[in-house]
């Protein structure tokens, strides 16, 4: 395909999957249960944080997580007592366990109490054309509290060559406008042009098949390469192609 043909193909696929039918099969359905801004943010962050492995398992465990938070995540995080955290020890999703969850709850309370919340961190540390440094600062701030070293692995760091797939997906949910009813668009002070692809097995493999990506590892260097390629097709909203690449890989087995 020529570059023009490839852009037309990806635009078509992005439009095909970027609609509300996508929600029922995707972890984004969990934050769609909420209307309060802070509930959407926190639910999105926690759901994205466990978004690896089987998608049905991710959705099931994210629903269980909301039950543990009394289906009012912001209120729970800001007003919980230590005794309320005991029940969290039963939670597990792959290598993310109840002790990790307790650390995340305390870390999120710290962020909302001292750093103007999740949005505040990304507003403060966004760069001219990227949010990857802001992801690094998020990790730094969330672990300013006392924590188990093991929990740090559950927040990726682009400065350590991570593609930070789960946090980049979370940022897509927060920043891309709600034009099709899928993403939320509740953070309006950050341009969609700064978003990076949620680079995973599906988007990486399809990116390579389409000649958008040459690097074999799905790391920060590969993410930069893929971002640059997709920004040539749509510099203002490059991450809309997440729907295209993911759909081609997960649903069409392209």
């Amino acid at each position: 395909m020529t570059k023009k043909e490839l852009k037309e193909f990806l635009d078509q696929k992005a439009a095909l999957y970027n609609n509300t039918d996508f929600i029922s099969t995707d972890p984004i359905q969990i934050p769609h249960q909420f209307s309060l801004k802070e509930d959407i943010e926190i639910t999105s962050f926690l759901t994205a944080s466990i978004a690896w492995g089987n998608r049905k398992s991710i959705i099931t465990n994210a629903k269980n997580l909301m039950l543990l938070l009394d289906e009012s995540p912001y209120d729970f995080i800001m007003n919980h007592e230590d005794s309320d955290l005991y029940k969290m020890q039963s939670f597990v999703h792959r290598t993310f366990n109840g002790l990790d969850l307790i650390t995340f709850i305390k870390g999120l309370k710290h962020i909302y109490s001292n750093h103007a919340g999740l949005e505040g961190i990304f507003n403060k540390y966004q760069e001219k054309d990227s949010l990857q440094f802001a992801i690094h600062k998020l990790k730094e701030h969330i672990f300013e509290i006392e924590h188990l070293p093991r929990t740090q692995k559950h927040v990726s760091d682009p400065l350590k060559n991570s593609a930070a797939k789960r946090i980049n997906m979370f940022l897509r949910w927060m920043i891309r406008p709600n034009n099709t009813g899928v993403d939320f668009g509740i953070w309006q002070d950050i341009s969609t042009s700064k978003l990076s692809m949620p680079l995973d097995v599906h988007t990486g493999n399809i990116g390579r098949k389409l000649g958008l990506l040459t690097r074999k590892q799905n790391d920060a260097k590969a993410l930069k390469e893929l971002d640059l390629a997709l920004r040539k097709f749509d510099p203002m909203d490059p991450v809309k192609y997440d729907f295209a690449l993911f759909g081609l890989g997960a649903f069409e087995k392209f």
Side-chain angles (χ1 to χ4, degrees):
M1 283 187 283
T2 65
K3 287 186 177 180
K4 181 181 178 182
E5 290 171 337
L6 180 55
K7 173 177 166 49
E8 291 174 350
F9 175 70
L10 290 175
D11 283 340
Q12 179 187 18
K13 293 299 181 181
L16 176 64
Y17 291 110
N18 185 11
N19 61 72
T20 52
D21 290 340
F22 179 83
I23 295 174
S24 65
T25 64
D26 193 79
I28 201 173
Q29 68 182 260
I30 307 300
H32 268 287
Q33 299 172 11
F34 298 91
S35 57
L36 181 70
K37 175 181 179 288
E38 291 83 2
D39 281 341
I40 294 171
E41 292 172 348
I42 289 169
T43 304
S44 295
F45 180 73
L46 292 174
T47 299
S49 295
I50 63 167
W52 83 98
N54 180 275
R55 296 176 88 207
K56 289 183 178 179
S57 176
I58 294 166
I59 292 167
T60 296
N61 288 332
K63 288 179 179 178
N64 291 337
L65 178 48
M66 292 307 108
L67 291 174
L68 288 170
L69 296 174
D70 298 334
E71 298 191 352
S72 186
Y74 178 65
D75 179 68
F76 185 96
I77 281 170
M78 298 307 294
N79 299 305
H80 71 271
E81 298 181 0
D82 287 345
S83 59
D84 297 321
L85 299 177
Y86 179 78
K87 62 182 179 180
M88 302 299 161
Q89 296 183 39
S90 65
F91 184 80
V92 61
H93 176 80
R94 299 175 72 90
T95 61
F96 188 100
N97 66 23
L99 296 177
D100 299 318
L101 175 56
I102 290 170
T103 300
F104 268 49
I105 289 170
K106 292 180 177 179
L108 285 167
K109 182 175 182 178
H110 171 71
I111 283 174
Y112 278 88
S113 299
N114 300 290
H115 295 290
L118 289 163
E119 182 181 13
I121 288 176
F122 284 95
N123 282 344
K124 181 177 181 179
Y125 295 110
Q126 61 178 311
E127 296 180 299
K128 182 180 178 180
D129 59 359
S130 174
L131 297 174
Q132 300 309 290
F133 177 70
I135 295 175
H136 165 77
K137 296 302 289 188
L138 169 68
K139 179 168 187 174
E140 180 180 293
H141 287 318
I142 205 168
F143 291 118
E144 286 171 342
I145 63 163
E146 184 178 353
H147 64 277
L148 295 173
R150 57 155 283 132
T151 306
Q152 289 200 26
K153 69 182 178 183
H154 294 299
V155 182
S156 300
D157 188 347
L159 271 58
K160 293 185 177 180
N161 202 32
S162 171
K165 174 254 180 178
R166 296 190 292 276
I167 301 181
N168 281 314
M169 181 177 71
F170 160 72
L171 292 171
R172 193 205 87 201
W173 293 358
M174 295 298 95
I175 295 167
R176 285 196 76 250
N178 186 26
N179 294 339
T180 64
V182 180
D183 294 320
F184 293 96
I186 55 176
W187 293 1
Q188 299 181 358
D189 293 332
I190 302 174
S191 172
T192 53
S193 65
K194 300 181 182 183
L195 290 170
S196 288
M197 279 288 292
L199 177 58
D200 62 7
V201 172
H202 295 297
T203 55
N205 288 346
I206 299 302
R208 293 179 185 95
K209 287 183 180 180
L210 294 174
L212 300 169
L213 180 60
T214 59
R215 186 169 175 82
K216 294 180 180 180
Q217 301 97 319
N218 288 334
D219 57 12
K221 293 178 182 177
L223 179 64
K224 185 175 182 179
E225 180 185 354
L226 183 59
D227 281 346
L228 288 172
L230 294 175
R231 285 171 181 169
K232 291 178 182 178
F233 294 145
D234 191 336
M236 292 309 299
D237 189 19
V239 177
K240 74 180 184 185
Y241 296 115
D242 182 29
F243 292 98
L245 299 188
F246 183 82
L248 285 166
F251 301 129
E252 298 188 32
K253 312 300 180 185
F254 181 80

